[in-house]
Amino acid sequence: MDSKMPGETDVTLLLQNDRVRVAEMRVQPGDRGKMVERPDRVQYVIKGGMIREHFPNGQSEDYELKTGTAKGMQKSTSSMENIGESEVAFVTVRLLR
C-alpha cells in the first residue's frame, strides 16, 4: 500500500511472490502503525531513530533503531510508534513459506 491515513506508517511493497515479501516502511515523528501480527522476519534499518513498540497486553518498550543494522525478529503482535524527531525507515523481509 502506498497511501496512508494521517498518523499511520507509510508502507511500500517492493517485491512479493509465493516465497517472499519485501516492504519498505517509513514512520514519521508521532506516527503509529496498526496493531498487527507479524511472522518471523528480517529487518534492515535505512534511517534509524527512537521507537516505542506497543503490545496487546498494554505494555510498551522504547528502543533505538540504528542506521545500517539488520536483525532477525521472531513472530510477534505489536504496533510501532516513532517517538523521535525525525523519520525512521527500514526494509522488512518476510519468508512466506
Side-chain angles (χ1 to χ4, degrees), residues 10-48:
D10 284 317
V11 179
T12 302
L13 187 60
L14 302 174
L15 170 70
Q16 183 163 336
N17 58 37
D18 63 329
R19 301 185 70 194
V20 67
R21 181 180 192 270
V22 181
E24 178 180 344
M25 286 117 194
R26 294 189 171 271
V27 188
Q28 300 303 318
D31 285 358
R32 179 175 173 176
K34 296 177 183 176
M35 183 79 60
V36 295
E37 182 178 327
R38 296 170 184 86
D40 291 351
R41 61 210 178 274
V42 174
Q43 180 184 71
Y44 176 77
V45 182
I46 299 168
K47 186 174 181 184

Side-chain angles (χ1 to χ4, degrees), residues 74-86:
Q74 294 182 340
K75 179 179 175 180
S76 64
T77 299
S78 65
S79 70
M80 184 182 299
E81 177 183 7
N82 181 345
I83 59 171
E85 297 181 10
S86 61

Side-chain angles (χ1 to χ4, degrees), residues 45-82:
V45 182
I46 299 168
K47 186 174 181 184
M50 290 302 297
I51 293 296
R52 177 169 293 139
E53 192 167 2
H54 299 269
F55 301 100
N57 64 3
Q59 295 183 339
S60 63
E61 176 184 349
D62 295 353
Y63 57 90
E64 181 179 5
L65 291 178
K66 295 185 181 181
T67 300
T69 60
K71 66 179 180 176
M73 302 172 75
Q74 294 182 340
K75 179 179 175 180
S76 64
T77 299
S78 65
S79 70
M80 184 182 299
E81 177 183 7
N82 181 345

